[in-house]
Amino acid sequence: MKLLLVEDEVVVTHFIQKGIEAEGYDLRVAYDGLMGQAMFDQQPFDVVILDVNLPGLNGFELCRYIKQHSPRQPVLLLTALDGLQDKENGFGAGADDYLVKPFAFRELLLRIRALARRGEAYAGLRHVLRVADLELDINARTVRRAGQPIELTTREYSLLEYLMTNQNRTVSRVDIAEKVWNLNFDTNTNIIDVYVNYLRNKIDKPFGHKLLHTIVGTGYMMRG
């Protein structure tokens, strides 16, 4: 599981980081709202954990941004603000859960796991993925663009499904290696670039509008 924690209190961050890493999860940390926004834009996460009183961009604002760009992204607000109005503001911003500091780490972990399962359930409900005129039917494992069927190999299909699931977000080569290839990323191989090129030749080249974009120095993005 890959988690994003946006928290400016160093002591709280170290406490959470120690516990999360002991569970074997991958935790990425941002110390202000703008950094958290940039990290969210760069790669997908299973759960995002936000403090509210953050420099740069507060947690309510960042939560709204996340939900605008990825409505199904599970978000947990973790804050010392314990008033009813604060909670209303949090859930009004789109938060899926709200945990007040101080907290027991075990409770935080249980809530993270519950949110991650909810995210997986949402993903399971999406039978057809769409980016502009490109459609991928998860159940039938078919791909069409502008109504025309596109034949893909198993690996090309898996790569396209991952990119479309994370449309409008940059996914790195490391993410692709882990999620599609189930491998540790080897910087000496260009296999991912090769398959991205195969995919482009099938879903973009015969059509007028490019959907698969290279984000220089970072990775790839599907957008209409």
mmCIF file of all heavy atoms in Angstrom, residues 159-202:
data_model
loop_
_atom_site.group_PDB
_atom_site.id
_atom_site.type_symbol
_atom_site.label_atom_id
_atom_site.label_comp_id
_atom_site.label_asym_id
_atom_site.label_seq_id
_atom_site.Cartn_x
_atom_site.Cartn_y
_atom_site.Cartn_z
ATOM 1 N N LEU A 159 -1.003 -2.326 -19.082
ATOM 2 C CA LEU A 159 -0.407 -0.998 -19.020
ATOM 3 C C LEU A 159 -1.453 0.074 -19.301
ATOM 4 O O LEU A 159 -1.543 1.083 -18.571
ATOM 5 C CB LEU A 159 0.740 -0.896 -20.029
ATOM 6 C CG LEU A 159 1.404 0.478 -20.185
ATOM 7 C CD1 LEU A 159 1.977 0.970 -18.852
ATOM 8 C CD2 LEU A 159 2.493 0.422 -21.255
ATOM 9 N N LEU A 160 -2.276 -0.143 -20.313
ATOM 10 C CA LEU A 160 -3.310 0.840 -20.650
ATOM 11 C C LEU A 160 -4.332 0.965 -19.518
ATOM 12 O O LEU A 160 -4.747 2.074 -19.163
ATOM 13 C CB LEU A 160 -4.009 0.452 -21.947
ATOM 14 C CG LEU A 160 -5.120 1.401 -22.404
ATOM 15 C CD1 LEU A 160 -4.575 2.802 -22.661
ATOM 16 C CD2 LEU A 160 -5.824 0.859 -23.649
ATOM 17 N N GLU A 161 -4.743 -0.160 -18.942
ATOM 18 C CA GLU A 161 -5.714 -0.122 -17.849
ATOM 19 C C GLU A 161 -5.164 0.694 -16.673
ATOM 20 O O GLU A 161 -5.877 1.507 -16.077
ATOM 21 C CB GLU A 161 -6.054 -1.534 -17.382
ATOM 22 C CG GLU A 161 -7.089 -1.547 -16.265
ATOM 23 C CD GLU A 161 -7.431 -2.951 -15.802
ATOM 24 O OE1 GLU A 161 -6.893 -3.923 -16.374
ATOM 25 O OE2 GLU A 161 -8.230 -3.085 -14.871
ATOM 26 N N TYR A 162 -3.885 0.500 -16.351
ATOM 27 C CA TYR A 162 -3.285 1.238 -15.242
ATOM 28 C C TYR A 162 -3.225 2.731 -15.548
ATOM 29 O O TYR A 162 -3.557 3.569 -14.702
ATOM 30 C CB TYR A 162 -1.884 0.699 -14.967
ATOM 31 C CG TYR A 162 -1.202 1.383 -13.805
ATOM 32 C CD1 TYR A 162 -1.686 1.247 -12.508
ATOM 33 C CD2 TYR A 162 -0.084 2.185 -14.011
ATOM 34 C CE1 TYR A 162 -1.069 1.878 -11.445
ATOM 35 C CE2 TYR A 162 0.535 2.822 -12.957
ATOM 36 C CZ TYR A 162 0.042 2.661 -11.670
ATOM 37 O OH TYR A 162 0.647 3.303 -10.625
ATOM 38 N N LEU A 163 -2.838 3.081 -16.763
ATOM 39 C CA LEU A 163 -2.756 4.488 -17.151
ATOM 40 C C LEU A 163 -4.135 5.141 -17.156
ATOM 41 O O LEU A 163 -4.298 6.279 -16.697
ATOM 42 C CB LEU A 163 -2.104 4.613 -18.530
ATOM 43 C CG LEU A 163 -0.612 4.278 -18.612
ATOM 44 C CD1 LEU A 163 -0.182 4.130 -20.067
ATOM 45 C CD2 LEU A 163 0.227 5.341 -17.916
ATOM 46 N N MET A 164 -5.144 4.428 -17.651
ATOM 47 C CA MET A 164 -6.490 5.002 -17.707
ATOM 48 C C MET A 164 -7.116 5.105 -16.318
ATOM 49 O O MET A 164 -7.866 6.035 -16.034
ATOM 50 C CB MET A 164 -7.374 4.175 -18.641
ATOM 51 C CG MET A 164 -6.981 4.293 -20.101
ATOM 52 S SD MET A 164 -8.063 3.342 -21.216
ATOM 53 C CE MET A 164 -9.584 4.300 -21.138
ATOM 54 N N THR A 165 -6.816 4.149 -15.452
ATOM 55 C CA THR A 165 -7.307 4.215 -14.075
ATOM 56 C C THR A 165 -6.782 5.463 -13.383
ATOM 57 O O THR A 165 -7.453 6.048 -12.521
ATOM 58 C CB THR A 165 -6.879 2.959 -13.296
ATOM 59 O OG1 THR A 165 -7.435 1.802 -13.920
ATOM 60 C CG2 THR A 165 -7.350 3.021 -11.851
ATOM 61 N N ASN A 166 -5.576 5.887 -13.769
ATOM 62 C CA ASN A 166 -4.942 7.064 -13.170
ATOM 63 C C ASN A 166 -4.918 8.247 -14.127
ATOM 64 O O ASN A 166 -3.978 9.056 -14.095
ATOM 65 C CB ASN A 166 -3.518 6.702 -12.727
ATOM 66 C CG ASN A 166 -3.498 5.728 -11.589
ATOM 67 O OD1 ASN A 166 -3.711 6.094 -10.443
ATOM 68 N ND2 ASN A 166 -3.260 4.453 -11.899
ATOM 69 N N GLN A 167 -5.944 8.367 -14.970
ATOM 70 C CA GLN A 167 -5.967 9.440 -15.953
ATOM 71 C C GLN A 167 -5.861 10.804 -15.281
ATOM 72 O O GLN A 167 -6.334 11.011 -14.164
ATOM 73 C CB GLN A 167 -7.226 9.368 -16.805
ATOM 74 C CG GLN A 167 -8.516 9.597 -16.080
ATOM 75 C CD GLN A 167 -9.686 9.627 -17.042
ATOM 76 O OE1 GLN A 167 -9.820 10.543 -17.851
ATOM 77 N NE2 GLN A 167 -10.535 8.607 -16.972
ATOM 78 N N ASN A 168 -5.221 11.726 -15.997
ATOM 79 C CA ASN A 168 -4.957 13.097 -15.539
ATOM 80 C C ASN A 168 -3.967 13.158 -14.385
ATOM 81 O O ASN A 168 -3.837 14.192 -13.732
ATOM 82 C CB ASN A 168 -6.252 13.818 -15.149
ATOM 83 C CG ASN A 168 -7.205 13.949 -16.308
ATOM 84 O OD1 ASN A 168 -6.793 14.241 -17.431
ATOM 85 N ND2 ASN A 168 -8.482 13.711 -16.068
ATOM 86 N N ARG A 169 -3.278 12.050 -14.118
ATOM 87 C CA ARG A 169 -2.240 12.028 -13.105
ATOM 88 C C ARG A 169 -0.988 11.404 -13.695
ATOM 89 O O ARG A 169 -1.054 10.464 -14.483
ATOM 90 C CB ARG A 169 -2.681 11.227 -11.881
ATOM 91 C CG ARG A 169 -3.872 11.824 -11.155
ATOM 92 C CD ARG A 169 -4.278 10.986 -9.972
ATOM 93 N NE ARG A 169 -3.219 10.925 -8.982
ATOM 94 C CZ ARG A 169 -3.272 10.143 -7.907
ATOM 95 N NH1 ARG A 169 -4.295 9.361 -7.714
ATOM 96 N NH2 ARG A 169 -2.284 10.155 -7.035
ATOM 97 N N THR A 170 0.162 11.925 -13.308
ATOM 98 C CA THR A 170 1.430 11.376 -13.780
ATOM 99 C C THR A 170 1.760 10.104 -13.018
ATOM 100 O O THR A 170 1.685 10.075 -11.793
ATOM 101 C CB THR A 170 2.564 12.392 -13.580
ATOM 102 O OG1 THR A 170 2.246 13.595 -14.276
ATOM 103 C CG2 THR A 170 3.884 11.845 -14.106
ATOM 104 N N VAL A 171 2.089 9.046 -13.749
ATOM 105 C CA VAL A 171 2.582 7.816 -13.124
ATOM 106 C C VAL A 171 4.028 7.629 -13.557
ATOM 107 O O VAL A 171 4.380 7.807 -14.720
ATOM 108 C CB VAL A 171 1.729 6.594 -13.506
ATOM 109 C CG1 VAL A 171 0.341 6.718 -12.921
ATOM 110 C CG2 VAL A 171 1.656 6.395 -15.006
ATOM 111 N N SER A 172 4.871 7.292 -12.605
ATOM 112 C CA SER A 172 6.304 7.148 -12.881
ATOM 113 C C SER A 172 6.606 5.767 -13.435
ATOM 114 O O SER A 172 5.790 4.843 -13.359
ATOM 115 C CB SER A 172 7.112 7.375 -11.605
ATOM 116 O OG SER A 172 6.884 6.316 -10.684
ATOM 117 N N ARG A 173 7.814 5.590 -13.954
ATOM 118 C CA ARG A 173 8.249 4.283 -14.416
ATOM 119 C C ARG A 173 8.314 3.295 -13.257
ATOM 120 O O ARG A 173 8.052 2.106 -13.434
ATOM 121 C CB ARG A 173 9.610 4.412 -15.097
ATOM 122 C CG ARG A 173 9.553 5.149 -16.425
ATOM 123 C CD ARG A 173 10.953 5.436 -16.974
ATOM 124 N NE ARG A 173 10.891 6.067 -18.283
ATOM 125 C CZ ARG A 173 10.675 7.372 -18.464
ATOM 126 N NH1 ARG A 173 10.477 8.160 -17.411
ATOM 127 N NH2 ARG A 173 10.640 7.889 -19.673
ATOM 128 N N VAL A 174 8.666 3.795 -12.073
ATOM 129 C CA VAL A 174 8.697 2.939 -10.884
ATOM 130 C C VAL A 174 7.296 2.415 -10.583
ATOM 131 O O VAL A 174 7.106 1.226 -10.303
ATOM 132 C CB VAL A 174 9.255 3.707 -9.665
ATOM 133 C CG1 VAL A 174 9.124 2.868 -8.399
ATOM 134 C CG2 VAL A 174 10.704 4.096 -9.895
ATOM 135 N N ASP A 175 6.280 3.297 -10.637
ATOM 136 C CA ASP A 175 4.896 2.879 -10.402
ATOM 137 C C ASP A 175 4.471 1.815 -11.401
ATOM 138 O O ASP A 175 3.850 0.810 -11.038
ATOM 139 C CB ASP A 175 3.944 4.074 -10.502
ATOM 140 C CG ASP A 175 4.135 5.071 -9.377
ATOM 141 O OD1 ASP A 175 4.376 4.628 -8.244
ATOM 142 O OD2 ASP A 175 4.056 6.290 -9.632
ATOM 143 N N ILE A 176 4.800 2.033 -12.669
ATOM 144 C CA ILE A 176 4.417 1.078 -13.714
ATOM 145 C C ILE A 176 5.097 -0.261 -13.485
ATOM 146 O O ILE A 176 4.471 -1.324 -13.586
ATOM 147 C CB ILE A 176 4.758 1.638 -15.111
ATOM 148 C CG1 ILE A 176 3.876 2.852 -15.416
ATOM 149 C CG2 ILE A 176 4.586 0.562 -16.176
ATOM 150 C CD1 ILE A 176 4.270 3.592 -16.675
ATOM 151 N N ALA A 177 6.390 -0.223 -13.152
ATOM 152 C CA ALA A 177 7.127 -1.465 -12.910
ATOM 153 C C ALA A 177 6.502 -2.261 -11.772
ATOM 154 O O ALA A 177 6.355 -3.487 -11.852
ATOM 155 C CB ALA A 177 8.591 -1.153 -12.603
ATOM 156 N N GLU A 178 6.097 -1.569 -10.714
ATOM 157 C CA GLU A 178 5.533 -2.235 -9.537
ATOM 158 C C GLU A 178 4.111 -2.717 -9.781
ATOM 159 O O GLU A 178 3.750 -3.837 -9.402
ATOM 160 C CB GLU A 178 5.562 -1.289 -8.337
ATOM 161 C CG GLU A 178 6.958 -0.978 -7.828
ATOM 162 C CD GLU A 178 6.941 0.042 -6.698
ATOM 163 O OE1 GLU A 178 5.863 0.623 -6.428
ATOM 164 O OE2 GLU A 178 8.003 0.244 -6.101
ATOM 165 N N LYS A 179 3.284 -1.880 -10.394
ATOM 166 C CA LYS A 179 1.853 -2.176 -10.513
ATOM 167 C C LYS A 179 1.517 -3.040 -11.732
ATOM 168 O O LYS A 179 0.573 -3.831 -11.691
ATOM 169 C CB LYS A 179 1.048 -0.878 -10.602
ATOM 170 C CG LYS A 179 1.249 0.065 -9.423
ATOM 171 C CD LYS A 179 0.665 -0.462 -8.140
ATOM 172 C CE LYS A 179 0.764 0.572 -7.038
ATOM 173 N NZ LYS A 179 0.154 0.164 -5.783
ATOM 174 N N VAL A 180 2.273 -2.883 -12.819
ATOM 175 C CA VAL A 180 1.963 -3.609 -14.052
ATOM 176 C C VAL A 180 2.883 -4.814 -14.233
ATOM 177 O O VAL A 180 2.454 -5.905 -14.587
ATOM 178 C CB VAL A 180 2.060 -2.677 -15.282
ATOM 179 C CG1 VAL A 180 1.742 -3.442 -16.562
ATOM 180 C CG2 VAL A 180 1.112 -1.493 -15.121
ATOM 181 N N TRP A 181 4.181 -4.607 -13.971
ATOM 182 C CA TRP A 181 5.162 -5.669 -14.153
ATOM 183 C C TRP A 181 5.397 -6.489 -12.880
ATOM 184 O O TRP A 181 5.991 -7.543 -12.923
ATOM 185 C CB TRP A 181 6.502 -5.088 -14.622
ATOM 186 C CG TRP A 181 6.675 -5.071 -16.101
ATOM 187 C CD1 TRP A 181 7.444 -5.912 -16.854
ATOM 188 C CD2 TRP A 181 6.088 -4.156 -17.040
ATOM 189 N NE1 TRP A 181 7.355 -5.574 -18.179
ATOM 190 C CE2 TRP A 181 6.535 -4.505 -18.331
ATOM 191 C CE3 TRP A 181 5.226 -3.079 -16.905
ATOM 192 C CZ2 TRP A 181 6.149 -3.814 -19.470
ATOM 193 C CZ3 TRP A 181 4.834 -2.385 -18.039
ATOM 194 C CH2 TRP A 181 5.300 -2.751 -19.304
ATOM 195 N N ASN A 182 4.972 -5.925 -11.714
ATOM 196 C CA ASN A 182 5.236 -6.561 -10.418
ATOM 197 C C ASN A 182 6.729 -6.813 -10.205
ATOM 198 O O ASN A 182 7.144 -7.862 -9.716
ATOM 199 C CB ASN A 182 4.479 -7.887 -10.292
ATOM 200 C CG ASN A 182 2.979 -7.687 -10.278
ATOM 201 O OD1 ASN A 182 2.480 -6.792 -9.611
ATOM 202 N ND2 ASN A 182 2.265 -8.510 -11.034
ATOM 203 N N LEU A 183 7.532 -5.814 -10.581
ATOM 204 C CA LEU A 183 8.981 -5.920 -10.470
ATOM 205 C C LEU A 183 9.548 -4.690 -9.801
ATOM 206 O O LEU A 183 8.943 -3.616 -9.816
ATOM 207 C CB LEU A 183 9.620 -6.037 -11.871
ATOM 208 C CG LEU A 183 9.287 -7.268 -12.710
ATOM 209 C CD1 LEU A 183 9.846 -7.073 -14.117
ATOM 210 C CD2 LEU A 183 9.884 -8.516 -12.082
ATOM 211 N N ASN A 184 10.736 -4.837 -9.216
ATOM 212 C CA ASN A 184 11.494 -3.666 -8.782
ATOM 213 C C ASN A 184 12.052 -3.000 -10.021
ATOM 214 O O ASN A 184 12.572 -3.670 -10.921
ATOM 215 C CB ASN A 184 12.633 -4.073 -7.846
ATOM 216 C CG ASN A 184 12.126 -4.570 -6.513
ATOM 217 O OD1 ASN A 184 11.133 -4.067 -6.002
ATOM 218 N ND2 ASN A 184 12.785 -5.581 -5.972
ATOM 219 N N PHE A 185 11.973 -1.688 -10.093
ATOM 220 C CA PHE A 185 12.372 -0.977 -11.304
ATOM 221 C C PHE A 185 13.878 -1.034 -11.523
ATOM 222 O O PHE A 185 14.658 -0.741 -10.621
ATOM 223 C CB PHE A 185 11.917 0.482 -11.223
ATOM 224 C CG PHE A 185 12.228 1.273 -12.468
ATOM 225 C CD1 PHE A 185 11.715 0.877 -13.694
ATOM 226 C CD2 PHE A 185 13.034 2.388 -12.417
ATOM 227 C CE1 PHE A 185 11.987 1.602 -14.839
ATOM 228 C CE2 PHE A 185 13.311 3.109 -13.557
ATOM 229 C CZ PHE A 185 12.783 2.719 -14.772
ATOM 230 N N ASP A 186 14.274 -1.437 -12.717
ATOM 231 C CA ASP A 186 15.681 -1.489 -13.106
ATOM 232 C C ASP A 186 15.966 -0.304 -14.020
ATOM 233 O O ASP A 186 15.447 -0.231 -15.133
ATOM 234 C CB ASP A 186 15.972 -2.810 -13.839
ATOM 235 C CG ASP A 186 17.433 -2.937 -14.261
ATOM 236 O OD1 ASP A 186 18.228 -2.014 -13.973
ATOM 237 O OD2 ASP A 186 17.766 -3.964 -14.868
ATOM 238 N N THR A 187 16.783 0.632 -13.541
ATOM 239 C CA THR A 187 17.058 1.854 -14.303
ATOM 240 C C THR A 187 17.830 1.579 -15.585
ATOM 241 O O THR A 187 17.932 2.450 -16.446
ATOM 242 C CB THR A 187 17.853 2.857 -13.446
ATOM 243 O OG1 THR A 187 19.050 2.227 -12.967
ATOM 244 C CG2 THR A 187 17.026 3.329 -12.255
ATOM 245 N N ASN A 188 18.376 0.373 -15.716
ATOM 246 C CA ASN A 188 19.170 0.064 -16.908
ATOM 247 C C ASN A 188 18.335 -0.527 -18.048
ATOM 248 O O ASN A 188 18.872 -0.825 -19.113
ATOM 249 C CB ASN A 188 20.294 -0.921 -16.540
ATOM 250 C CG ASN A 188 21.303 -0.315 -15.595
ATOM 251 O OD1 ASN A 188 21.699 0.842 -15.770
ATOM 252 N ND2 ASN A 188 21.716 -1.070 -14.594
ATOM 253 N N THR A 189 17.038 -0.699 -17.813
ATOM 254 C CA THR A 189 16.206 -1.256 -18.872
ATOM 255 C C THR A 189 15.245 -0.196 -19.417
ATOM 256 O O THR A 189 14.821 0.701 -18.681
ATOM 257 C CB THR A 189 15.390 -2.469 -18.360
ATOM 258 O OG1 THR A 189 14.618 -2.991 -19.441
ATOM 259 C CG2 THR A 189 14.466 -2.063 -17.234
ATOM 260 N N ASN A 190 14.931 -0.320 -20.700
ATOM 261 C CA ASN A 190 13.977 0.610 -21.314
ATOM 262 C C ASN A 190 12.683 -0.094 -21.683
ATOM 263 O O ASN A 190 11.931 0.371 -22.533
ATOM 264 C CB ASN A 190 14.596 1.254 -22.563
ATOM 265 C CG ASN A 190 14.814 0.246 -23.684
ATOM 266 O OD1 ASN A 190 14.840 -0.964 -23.447
ATOM 267 N ND2 ASN A 190 14.971 0.739 -24.905
ATOM 268 N N ILE A 191 12.397 -1.232 -21.012
ATOM 269 C CA ILE A 191 11.246 -2.045 -21.376
ATOM 270 C C ILE A 191 9.940 -1.271 -21.251
ATOM 271 O O ILE A 191 9.025 -1.417 -22.069
ATOM 272 C CB ILE A 191 11.194 -3.336 -20.524
ATOM 273 C CG1 ILE A 191 10.095 -4.266 -21.017
ATOM 274 C CG2 ILE A 191 11.019 -3.017 -19.046
ATOM 275 C CD1 ILE A 191 10.330 -4.838 -22.390
ATOM 276 N N ILE A 192 9.832 -0.411 -20.235
ATOM 277 C CA ILE A 192 8.594 0.350 -20.050
ATOM 278 C C ILE A 192 8.411 1.337 -21.195
ATOM 279 O O ILE A 192 7.320 1.467 -21.752
ATOM 280 C CB ILE A 192 8.600 1.059 -18.687
ATOM 281 C CG1 ILE A 192 8.522 0.008 -17.575
ATOM 282 C CG2 ILE A 192 7.445 2.048 -18.581
ATOM 283 C CD1 ILE A 192 8.716 0.543 -16.197
ATOM 284 N N ASP A 193 9.485 2.025 -21.567
ATOM 285 C CA ASP A 193 9.419 2.965 -22.684
ATOM 286 C C ASP A 193 9.041 2.244 -23.980
ATOM 287 O O ASP A 193 8.282 2.780 -24.793
ATOM 288 C CB ASP A 193 10.756 3.677 -22.854
ATOM 289 C CG ASP A 193 11.200 4.364 -21.578
ATOM 290 O OD1 ASP A 193 10.829 5.526 -21.362
ATOM 291 O OD2 ASP A 193 11.906 3.709 -20.796
ATOM 292 N N VAL A 194 9.553 1.040 -24.140
ATOM 293 C CA VAL A 194 9.252 0.259 -25.341
ATOM 294 C C VAL A 194 7.760 -0.055 -25.409
ATOM 295 O O VAL A 194 7.113 0.125 -26.450
ATOM 296 C CB VAL A 194 10.079 -1.050 -25.364
ATOM 297 C CG1 VAL A 194 9.557 -1.995 -26.451
ATOM 298 C CG2 VAL A 194 11.547 -0.734 -25.595
ATOM 299 N N TYR A 195 7.184 -0.488 -24.297
ATOM 300 C CA TYR A 195 5.766 -0.834 -24.287
ATOM 301 C C TYR A 195 4.873 0.401 -24.394
ATOM 302 O O TYR A 195 3.787 0.340 -24.978
ATOM 303 C CB TYR A 195 5.416 -1.654 -23.050
ATOM 304 C CG TYR A 195 5.582 -3.137 -23.302
ATOM 305 C CD1 TYR A 195 6.801 -3.754 -23.082
ATOM 306 C CD2 TYR A 195 4.529 -3.894 -23.797
ATOM 307 C CE1 TYR A 195 6.969 -5.110 -23.337
ATOM 308 C CE2 TYR A 195 4.682 -5.247 -24.053
ATOM 309 C CZ TYR A 195 5.904 -5.852 -23.822
ATOM 310 O OH TYR A 195 6.059 -7.185 -24.095
ATOM 311 N N VAL A 196 5.314 1.511 -23.825
ATOM 312 C CA VAL A 196 4.565 2.753 -24.008
ATOM 313 C C VAL A 196 4.522 3.110 -25.488
ATOM 314 O O VAL A 196 3.488 3.538 -26.014
ATOM 315 C CB VAL A 196 5.179 3.899 -23.184
ATOM 316 C CG1 VAL A 196 4.606 5.249 -23.613
ATOM 317 C CG2 VAL A 196 4.924 3.687 -21.694
ATOM 318 N N ASN A 197 5.629 2.918 -26.176
ATOM 319 C CA ASN A 197 5.688 3.206 -27.612
ATOM 320 C C ASN A 197 4.772 2.254 -28.396
ATOM 321 O O ASN A 197 4.077 2.679 -29.329
ATOM 322 C CB ASN A 197 7.126 3.083 -28.117
ATOM 323 C CG ASN A 197 7.285 3.634 -29.520
ATOM 324 O OD1 ASN A 197 6.885 4.758 -29.815
ATOM 325 N ND2 ASN A 197 7.863 2.837 -30.412
ATOM 326 N N TYR A 198 4.762 0.962 -28.018
ATOM 327 C CA TYR A 198 3.838 0.013 -28.653
ATOM 328 C C TYR A 198 2.402 0.508 -28.497
ATOM 329 O O TYR A 198 1.597 0.474 -29.446
ATOM 330 C CB TYR A 198 3.942 -1.371 -27.989
ATOM 331 C CG TYR A 198 5.200 -2.145 -28.251
ATOM 332 C CD1 TYR A 198 5.579 -3.183 -27.390
ATOM 333 C CD2 TYR A 198 6.009 -1.867 -29.346
ATOM 334 C CE1 TYR A 198 6.729 -3.917 -27.625
ATOM 335 C CE2 TYR A 198 7.170 -2.597 -29.582
ATOM 336 C CZ TYR A 198 7.522 -3.630 -28.713
ATOM 337 O OH TYR A 198 8.664 -4.358 -28.936
ATOM 338 N N LEU A 199 2.081 0.937 -27.290
ATOM 339 C CA LEU A 199 0.728 1.395 -26.992
ATOM 340 C C LEU A 199 0.370 2.632 -27.807
ATOM 341 O O LEU A 199 -0.730 2.732 -28.371
ATOM 342 C CB LEU A 199 0.623 1.695 -25.498
ATOM 343 C CG LEU A 199 -0.748 1.592 -24.821
ATOM 344 C CD1 LEU A 199 -1.418 0.265 -25.138
ATOM 345 C CD2 LEU A 199 -0.588 1.785 -23.322
ATOM 346 N N ARG A 200 1.302 3.566 -27.893
ATOM 347 C CA ARG A 200 1.065 4.784 -28.681
ATOM 348 C C ARG A 200 0.750 4.455 -30.140
ATOM 349 O O ARG A 200 -0.105 5.068 -30.762
ATOM 350 C CB ARG A 200 2.300 5.686 -28.620
ATOM 351 C CG ARG A 200 2.394 6.540 -27.366
ATOM 352 C CD ARG A 200 3.332 7.706 -27.618
ATOM 353 N NE ARG A 200 3.343 8.589 -26.473
ATOM 354 C CZ ARG A 200 4.350 8.724 -25.624
ATOM 355 N NH1 ARG A 200 5.440 8.002 -25.797
ATOM 356 N NH2 ARG A 200 4.278 9.558 -24.619
ATOM 357 N N ASN A 201 1.482 3.497 -30.685
ATOM 358 C CA ASN A 201 1.285 3.130 -32.087
ATOM 359 C C ASN A 201 -0.112 2.580 -32.344
ATOM 360 O O ASN A 201 -0.615 2.652 -33.471
ATOM 361 C CB ASN A 201 2.331 2.107 -32.514
ATOM 362 C CG ASN A 201 3.710 2.717 -32.679
ATOM 363 O OD1 ASN A 201 3.845 3.924 -32.892
ATOM 364 N ND2 ASN A 201 4.745 1.900 -32.552
ATOM 365 N N LYS A 202 -0.746 2.048 -31.292
ATOM 366 C CA LYS A 202 -2.068 1.446 -31.454
ATOM 367 C C LYS A 202 -3.215 2.375 -31.068
ATOM 368 O O LYS A 202 -4.247 2.396 -31.736
ATOM 369 C CB LYS A 202 -2.146 0.153 -30.641
ATOM 370 C CG LYS A 202 -1.231 -0.943 -31.163
ATOM 371 C CD LYS A 202 -1.397 -2.238 -30.383
ATOM 372 C CE LYS A 202 -0.529 -3.342 -30.965
ATOM 373 N NZ LYS A 202 -0.704 -4.644 -30.265
#
